[in-house]
Structure formats: C-alpha cells, structure tokens
Amino acid sequence: MTAGSEPSEPLGWGLFAQWHDLIDRGDPRFRPMAKVDDAEEALTRFEADVRSSMWNMQRHSTIDALRDSKGLDANARRKGLELRFILPRRVALRRNPLVSSHYDHLRLAPVAHPLLIGDRRHVLVGDSTGETIWASSDPGVVAQAVAFYERLWTSAEPAVPEGEDPPFTRR
C-alpha cells in the first residue's frame, strides 16, 4: 500500500453494514430464519423452494461443510439449477483444496460476508453477531443483493482455470 492510500474494503462491505443496521433495528424487510447452529432444516426448506438459481458466497468452507452440503448440492444439480459459489482464495486453495473439485461452479474473490440468493427472489444473510440467519424477499433488498453478487461474480476468477481438470474427482 502506498503512503497516504486508504485500506481497501472487500467489495460490498458497506451494503452488509447497512443490512446489519436494519436487522439490529428490527426492520420488517428482514425476518429471522434460523440460528446458524440449527440451520440445516431451514436451508433444506429454502433449497426445496428454489426453482432456477442458487448463488452462494461464504467466508469459510471446511470438509464438514462439504459433507453437510452434499445432499443440498445433489438436489440442486438434479433440479438443473444455475449454481454459483464464491469463496476467498485462501480458503479454497490453502484451507480446503478439495472444494474446487466438489464445486465446478466455484469462483475465487474476496468475500466480505456470507450471502445466499435463491431465484433472484430470496436473500439469506447472517446478522452482525454471526449467530442468526435472516431472510428477505423485499424487492429492494433482493435487487441490491443480486447487483452486488453479479459484480463480484464477474470480477471473480474460476477456481479451476478453463481447460484444466480439478485436482481431485468429485468422488
């Protein structure tokens, strides 16, 4: 960084800060969906309602998370959903290199906050504590989320370069 330059924020940090403020103030555009530790059933219901696309970005991914998402991912593939997944480079390449073999729709970019968008109609986002998943179907919130995600997706790089095979088979 050059002297006098501002530190760079991950793309979209201001948007998430704005949403956290709305959630903290009880804004009706956001409703609690589930505690993070108990999210499996809520996410299964969410995925069951998705008909065309599921866009996901996470700050972390572990082997356990891959195992836990295996059923959801298989259902999404069977339904023919457009799948997009963004992870930070350090997570995908250093902490969990298997992820690029599991998700052929994975791209790498800085991730400010977890976000899940279903059918460009529903948004799931964590609160500022990281304890609760909040949902919104408000058109304004969804439009902001979709615009943000599309910008990040466009700037992200594929985890596996075109023409190359992932390091491991899906098995």
Side-chain angles (χ1 to χ4, degrees):
M1 185 178 336
T2 61
S5 65
E6 294 294 317
S8 63
E9 287 184 349
L11 180 65
W13 179 248
L15 177 61
F16 290 103
Q18 176 188 28
W19 287 350
H20 289 163
D21 184 50
L22 293 173
I23 289 167
D24 290 346
R25 288 188 287 132
D27 189 288
R29 290 175 283 187
F30 292 91
R31 63 190 183 287
M33 182 178 189
K35 294 291 186 188
V36 170
D37 293 339
D38 301 322
E40 186 175 349
E41 182 181 325
L43 291 173
T44 299
R45 284 192 317 269
F46 177 82
E47 185 275 331
D49 289 338
V50 173
R51 301 286 177 242
S52 63
S53 64
M54 191 158 28
W55 301 351
N56 189 0
M57 65 181 215
Q58 298 294 320
R59 292 173 48 198
H60 308 286
S61 181
T62 64
I63 296 298
D64 289 338
L66 284 176
R67 279 190 210 111
D68 293 347
S69 69
K70 188 175 182 181
L72 289 175
D73 194 56
N75 287 340
R77 287 174 189 278
R78 271 194 299 278
K79 288 168 55 173
L81 298 181
E82 174 200 8
L83 300 174
R84 295 181 180 184
F85 191 25
I86 301 172
L87 278 175
R89 170 178 291 287
R90 67 178 164 66
V91 171
L93 300 181
R94 293 189 196 128
R95 292 190 59 208
N96 192 356
L98 293 175
V99 74
S100 65
S101 298
H102 185 76
Y103 296 111
D104 56 1
H105 48 275
L106 176 65
R107 291 197 181 178
L108 308 176
V111 174
H113 199 280
L115 176 67
L116 185 61
I117 303 171
D119 291 338
R120 299 179 187 166
R121 294 182 303 128
H122 307 287
V123 173
L124 302 184
V125 64
D127 62 12
S128 59
T129 67
E131 297 173 1
T132 305
I133 298 171
W134 292 77
S136 180
S137 297
D138 177 81
V141 170
V142 172
Q144 288 176 318
V146 167
F148 164 79
Y149 197 99
E150 287 181 330
R151 279 193 321 273
L152 188 60
W153 183 257
T154 300
S155 69
E157 64 182 90
V160 177
E162 191 172 324
E164 291 186 23
D165 291 326
F168 302 97
T169 64
R170 286 182 54 79
R171 184 175 157 261

PDB file of all heavy atoms in Angstrom, residues 91-112:
ATOM      1  N   VAL A  91      -9.112 -19.632   1.345  1.00  0.00           N
ATOM      2  CA  VAL A  91      -9.929 -20.745   1.833  1.00  0.00           C
ATOM      3  C   VAL A  91      -9.924 -21.880   0.816  1.00  0.00           C
ATOM      4  O   VAL A  91      -9.681 -23.037   1.150  1.00  0.00           O
ATOM      5  CB  VAL A  91     -11.372 -20.286   2.127  1.00  0.00           C
ATOM      6  CG1 VAL A  91     -12.273 -21.463   2.430  1.00  0.00           C
ATOM      7  CG2 VAL A  91     -11.373 -19.290   3.275  1.00  0.00           C
ATOM      8  N   ALA A  92     -10.173 -21.557  -0.430  1.00  0.00           N
ATOM      9  CA  ALA A  92     -10.296 -22.583  -1.463  1.00  0.00           C
ATOM     10  C   ALA A  92      -8.965 -23.254  -1.781  1.00  0.00           C
ATOM     11  O   ALA A  92      -8.939 -24.451  -2.057  1.00  0.00           O
ATOM     12  CB  ALA A  92     -10.878 -21.980  -2.731  1.00  0.00           C
ATOM     13  N   LEU A  93      -7.891 -22.524  -1.757  1.00  0.00           N
ATOM     14  CA  LEU A  93      -6.620 -23.088  -2.182  1.00  0.00           C
ATOM     15  C   LEU A  93      -5.749 -23.576  -1.034  1.00  0.00           C
ATOM     16  O   LEU A  93      -4.974 -24.507  -1.205  1.00  0.00           O
ATOM     17  CB  LEU A  93      -5.851 -22.063  -3.013  1.00  0.00           C
ATOM     18  CG  LEU A  93      -6.578 -21.591  -4.279  1.00  0.00           C
ATOM     19  CD1 LEU A  93      -5.730 -20.601  -5.042  1.00  0.00           C
ATOM     20  CD2 LEU A  93      -6.980 -22.768  -5.155  1.00  0.00           C
ATOM     21  N   ARG A  94      -5.878 -22.979   0.136  1.00  0.00           N
ATOM     22  CA  ARG A  94      -4.995 -23.355   1.249  1.00  0.00           C
ATOM     23  C   ARG A  94      -5.701 -24.193   2.303  1.00  0.00           C
ATOM     24  O   ARG A  94      -5.199 -25.220   2.722  1.00  0.00           O
ATOM     25  CB  ARG A  94      -4.409 -22.103   1.896  1.00  0.00           C
ATOM     26  CG  ARG A  94      -3.476 -21.395   0.963  1.00  0.00           C
ATOM     27  CD  ARG A  94      -2.724 -20.293   1.690  1.00  0.00           C
ATOM     28  NE  ARG A  94      -2.135 -19.420   0.691  1.00  0.00           N
ATOM     29  CZ  ARG A  94      -2.282 -18.116   0.673  1.00  0.00           C
ATOM     30  NH1 ARG A  94      -2.967 -17.507   1.604  1.00  0.00           N
ATOM     31  NH2 ARG A  94      -1.737 -17.395  -0.278  1.00  0.00           N
ATOM     32  N   ARG A  95      -6.863 -23.721   2.750  1.00  0.00           N
ATOM     33  CA  ARG A  95      -7.528 -24.399   3.870  1.00  0.00           C
ATOM     34  C   ARG A  95      -8.361 -25.591   3.430  1.00  0.00           C
ATOM     35  O   ARG A  95      -8.561 -26.516   4.188  1.00  0.00           O
ATOM     36  CB  ARG A  95      -8.410 -23.407   4.623  1.00  0.00           C
ATOM     37  CG  ARG A  95      -7.564 -22.353   5.340  1.00  0.00           C
ATOM     38  CD  ARG A  95      -8.354 -21.500   6.270  1.00  0.00           C
ATOM     39  NE  ARG A  95      -8.999 -22.294   7.296  1.00  0.00           N
ATOM     40  CZ  ARG A  95     -10.122 -21.924   7.878  1.00  0.00           C
ATOM     41  NH1 ARG A  95     -10.725 -20.814   7.563  1.00  0.00           N
ATOM     42  NH2 ARG A  95     -10.665 -22.683   8.808  1.00  0.00           N
ATOM     43  N   ASN A  96      -8.900 -25.564   2.211  1.00  0.00           N
ATOM     44  CA  ASN A  96      -9.775 -26.634   1.760  1.00  0.00           C
ATOM     45  C   ASN A  96      -9.636 -26.822   0.250  1.00  0.00           C
ATOM     46  O   ASN A  96     -10.548 -26.492  -0.502  1.00  0.00           O
ATOM     47  CB  ASN A  96     -11.227 -26.311   2.141  1.00  0.00           C
ATOM     48  CG  ASN A  96     -12.135 -27.502   1.955  1.00  0.00           C
ATOM     49  OD1 ASN A  96     -11.716 -28.553   1.483  1.00  0.00           O
ATOM     50  ND2 ASN A  96     -13.389 -27.338   2.292  1.00  0.00           N
ATOM     51  N   PRO A  97      -8.512 -27.372  -0.203  1.00  0.00           N
ATOM     52  CA  PRO A  97      -8.309 -27.516  -1.651  1.00  0.00           C
ATOM     53  C   PRO A  97      -9.284 -28.480  -2.322  1.00  0.00           C
ATOM     54  O   PRO A  97      -9.445 -28.445  -3.530  1.00  0.00           O
ATOM     55  CB  PRO A  97      -6.864 -28.014  -1.765  1.00  0.00           C
ATOM     56  CG  PRO A  97      -6.541 -28.592  -0.433  1.00  0.00           C
ATOM     57  CD  PRO A  97      -7.374 -27.851   0.562  1.00  0.00           C
ATOM     58  N   LEU A  98      -9.976 -29.316  -1.554  1.00  0.00           N
ATOM     59  CA  LEU A  98     -10.965 -30.228  -2.145  1.00  0.00           C
ATOM     60  C   LEU A  98     -12.173 -29.491  -2.704  1.00  0.00           C
ATOM     61  O   LEU A  98     -12.886 -30.008  -3.552  1.00  0.00           O
ATOM     62  CB  LEU A  98     -11.446 -31.238  -1.098  1.00  0.00           C
ATOM     63  CG  LEU A  98     -10.432 -32.250  -0.609  1.00  0.00           C
ATOM     64  CD1 LEU A  98     -11.037 -33.094   0.499  1.00  0.00           C
ATOM     65  CD2 LEU A  98      -9.961 -33.116  -1.748  1.00  0.00           C
ATOM     66  N   VAL A  99     -12.419 -28.292  -2.218  1.00  0.00           N
ATOM     67  CA  VAL A  99     -13.630 -27.569  -2.608  1.00  0.00           C
ATOM     68  C   VAL A  99     -13.678 -27.310  -4.111  1.00  0.00           C
ATOM     69  O   VAL A  99     -14.737 -27.352  -4.719  1.00  0.00           O
ATOM     70  CB  VAL A  99     -13.787 -26.274  -1.781  1.00  0.00           C
ATOM     71  CG1 VAL A  99     -12.831 -25.196  -2.214  1.00  0.00           C
ATOM     72  CG2 VAL A  99     -15.206 -25.777  -1.807  1.00  0.00           C
ATOM     73  N   SER A 100     -12.545 -27.095  -4.757  1.00  0.00           N
ATOM     74  CA  SER A 100     -12.555 -26.829  -6.200  1.00  0.00           C
ATOM     75  C   SER A 100     -12.894 -28.090  -6.991  1.00  0.00           C
ATOM     76  O   SER A 100     -13.316 -28.006  -8.141  1.00  0.00           O
ATOM     77  CB  SER A 100     -11.222 -26.253  -6.670  1.00  0.00           C
ATOM     78  OG  SER A 100     -10.178 -27.194  -6.500  1.00  0.00           O
ATOM     79  N   SER A 101     -12.727 -29.249  -6.390  1.00  0.00           N
ATOM     80  CA  SER A 101     -13.125 -30.496  -7.046  1.00  0.00           C
ATOM     81  C   SER A 101     -14.601 -30.795  -6.816  1.00  0.00           C
ATOM     82  O   SER A 101     -15.232 -31.463  -7.621  1.00  0.00           O
ATOM     83  CB  SER A 101     -12.291 -31.659  -6.505  1.00  0.00           C
ATOM     84  OG  SER A 101     -10.938 -31.454  -6.792  1.00  0.00           O
ATOM     85  N   HIS A 102     -15.136 -30.309  -5.735  1.00  0.00           N
ATOM     86  CA  HIS A 102     -16.533 -30.566  -5.386  1.00  0.00           C
ATOM     87  C   HIS A 102     -17.493 -29.625  -6.114  1.00  0.00           C
ATOM     88  O   HIS A 102     -18.576 -30.023  -6.508  1.00  0.00           O
ATOM     89  CB  HIS A 102     -16.711 -30.435  -3.875  1.00  0.00           C
ATOM     90  CG  HIS A 102     -18.073 -30.799  -3.397  1.00  0.00           C
ATOM     91  ND1 HIS A 102     -18.499 -32.095  -3.299  1.00  0.00           N
ATOM     92  CD2 HIS A 102     -19.112 -30.031  -3.008  1.00  0.00           C
ATOM     93  CE1 HIS A 102     -19.745 -32.122  -2.858  1.00  0.00           C
ATOM     94  NE2 HIS A 102     -20.142 -30.887  -2.672  1.00  0.00           N
ATOM     95  N   TYR A 103     -17.087 -28.358  -6.261  1.00  0.00           N
ATOM     96  CA  TYR A 103     -17.954 -27.357  -6.876  1.00  0.00           C
ATOM     97  C   TYR A 103     -17.350 -26.901  -8.200  1.00  0.00           C
ATOM     98  O   TYR A 103     -16.406 -26.116  -8.222  1.00  0.00           O
ATOM     99  CB  TYR A 103     -18.112 -26.126  -5.965  1.00  0.00           C
ATOM    100  CG  TYR A 103     -18.802 -26.414  -4.663  1.00  0.00           C
ATOM    101  CD1 TYR A 103     -18.107 -26.366  -3.473  1.00  0.00           C
ATOM    102  CD2 TYR A 103     -20.163 -26.713  -4.632  1.00  0.00           C
ATOM    103  CE1 TYR A 103     -18.745 -26.612  -2.265  1.00  0.00           C
ATOM    104  CE2 TYR A 103     -20.797 -26.968  -3.430  1.00  0.00           C
ATOM    105  CZ  TYR A 103     -20.089 -26.919  -2.256  1.00  0.00           C
ATOM    106  OH  TYR A 103     -20.726 -27.168  -1.074  1.00  0.00           O
ATOM    107  N   ASP A 104     -17.895 -27.383  -9.305  1.00  0.00           N
ATOM    108  CA  ASP A 104     -17.386 -26.952 -10.611  1.00  0.00           C
ATOM    109  C   ASP A 104     -17.815 -25.528 -10.948  1.00  0.00           C
ATOM    110  O   ASP A 104     -17.341 -24.942 -11.902  1.00  0.00           O
ATOM    111  CB  ASP A 104     -17.814 -27.918 -11.717  1.00  0.00           C
ATOM    112  CG  ASP A 104     -19.312 -28.123 -11.788  1.00  0.00           C
ATOM    113  OD1 ASP A 104     -20.060 -27.507 -10.997  1.00  0.00           O
ATOM    114  OD2 ASP A 104     -19.744 -28.911 -12.643  1.00  0.00           O
ATOM    115  N   HIS A 105     -18.674 -24.971 -10.143  1.00  0.00           N
ATOM    116  CA  HIS A 105     -19.177 -23.606 -10.342  1.00  0.00           C
ATOM    117  C   HIS A 105     -18.551 -22.643  -9.340  1.00  0.00           C
ATOM    118  O   HIS A 105     -19.140 -21.624  -9.014  1.00  0.00           O
ATOM    119  CB  HIS A 105     -20.704 -23.593 -10.222  1.00  0.00           C
ATOM    120  CG  HIS A 105     -21.193 -24.318  -8.996  1.00  0.00           C
ATOM    121  ND1 HIS A 105     -21.396 -25.676  -8.984  1.00  0.00           N
ATOM    122  CD2 HIS A 105     -21.488 -23.878  -7.750  1.00  0.00           C
ATOM    123  CE1 HIS A 105     -21.810 -26.038  -7.775  1.00  0.00           C
ATOM    124  NE2 HIS A 105     -21.867 -24.954  -7.010  1.00  0.00           N
ATOM    125  N   LEU A 106     -17.349 -22.952  -8.869  1.00  0.00           N
ATOM    126  CA  LEU A 106     -16.680 -22.151  -7.851  1.00  0.00           C
ATOM    127  C   LEU A 106     -15.801 -21.078  -8.488  1.00  0.00           C
ATOM    128  O   LEU A 106     -15.054 -21.348  -9.424  1.00  0.00           O
ATOM    129  CB  LEU A 106     -15.801 -23.046  -6.969  1.00  0.00           C
ATOM    130  CG  LEU A 106     -14.960 -22.343  -5.905  1.00  0.00           C
ATOM    131  CD1 LEU A 106     -15.839 -21.687  -4.847  1.00  0.00           C
ATOM    132  CD2 LEU A 106     -14.000 -23.333  -5.265  1.00  0.00           C
ATOM    133  N   ARG A 107     -15.915 -19.868  -7.944  1.00  0.00           N
ATOM    134  CA  ARG A 107     -15.010 -18.775  -8.305  1.00  0.00           C
ATOM    135  C   ARG A 107     -14.396 -18.219  -7.029  1.00  0.00           C
ATOM    136  O   ARG A 107     -14.939 -18.382  -5.941  1.00  0.00           O
ATOM    137  CB  ARG A 107     -15.739 -17.674  -9.064  1.00  0.00           C
ATOM    138  CG  ARG A 107     -16.168 -18.128 -10.454  1.00  0.00           C
ATOM    139  CD  ARG A 107     -16.496 -16.967 -11.327  1.00  0.00           C
ATOM    140  NE  ARG A 107     -16.935 -17.435 -12.641  1.00  0.00           N
ATOM    141  CZ  ARG A 107     -17.325 -16.626 -13.594  1.00  0.00           C
ATOM    142  NH1 ARG A 107     -17.330 -15.318 -13.406  1.00  0.00           N
ATOM    143  NH2 ARG A 107     -17.704 -17.103 -14.761  1.00  0.00           N
ATOM    144  N   LEU A 108     -13.265 -17.540  -7.219  1.00  0.00           N
ATOM    145  CA  LEU A 108     -12.498 -17.019  -6.090  1.00  0.00           C
ATOM    146  C   LEU A 108     -12.488 -15.501  -6.109  1.00  0.00           C
ATOM    147  O   LEU A 108     -12.206 -14.892  -7.145  1.00  0.00           O
ATOM    148  CB  LEU A 108     -11.060 -17.542  -6.153  1.00  0.00           C
ATOM    149  CG  LEU A 108     -10.917 -19.059  -6.293  1.00  0.00           C
ATOM    150  CD1 LEU A 108      -9.453 -19.440  -6.436  1.00  0.00           C
ATOM    151  CD2 LEU A 108     -11.561 -19.780  -5.128  1.00  0.00           C
ATOM    152  N   ALA A 109     -12.800 -14.910  -4.961  1.00  0.00           N
ATOM    153  CA  ALA A 109     -12.801 -13.453  -4.805  1.00  0.00           C
ATOM    154  C   ALA A 109     -12.848 -13.150  -3.311  1.00  0.00           C
ATOM    155  O   ALA A 109     -13.267 -13.997  -2.516  1.00  0.00           O
ATOM    156  CB  ALA A 109     -14.008 -12.827  -5.505  1.00  0.00           C
ATOM    157  N   PRO A 110     -12.454 -11.951  -2.917  1.00  0.00           N
ATOM    158  CA  PRO A 110     -12.626 -11.578  -1.501  1.00  0.00           C
ATOM    159  C   PRO A 110     -14.115 -11.596  -1.139  1.00  0.00           C
ATOM    160  O   PRO A 110     -14.950 -11.151  -1.919  1.00  0.00           O
ATOM    161  CB  PRO A 110     -12.074 -10.151  -1.441  1.00  0.00           C
ATOM    162  CG  PRO A 110     -11.200 -10.021  -2.630  1.00  0.00           C
ATOM    163  CD  PRO A 110     -11.799 -10.905  -3.688  1.00  0.00           C
ATOM    164  N   VAL A 111     -14.422 -12.141   0.013  1.00  0.00           N
ATOM    165  CA  VAL A 111     -15.811 -12.235   0.469  1.00  0.00           C
ATOM    166  C   VAL A 111     -15.940 -11.468   1.783  1.00  0.00           C
ATOM    167  O   VAL A 111     -15.286 -11.796   2.767  1.00  0.00           O
ATOM    168  CB  VAL A 111     -16.245 -13.705   0.650  1.00  0.00           C
ATOM    169  CG1 VAL A 111     -17.636 -13.792   1.254  1.00  0.00           C
ATOM    170  CG2 VAL A 111     -16.189 -14.444  -0.686  1.00  0.00           C
ATOM    171  N   ALA A 112     -16.790 -10.452   1.775  1.00  0.00           N
ATOM    172  CA  ALA A 112     -16.985  -9.620   2.961  1.00  0.00           C
ATOM    173  C   ALA A 112     -17.900 -10.287   3.975  1.00  0.00           C
ATOM    174  O   ALA A 112     -17.743 -10.105   5.178  1.00  0.00           O
ATOM    175  CB  ALA A 112     -17.579  -8.267   2.565  1.00  0.00           C
TER     176      ALA A 112
END
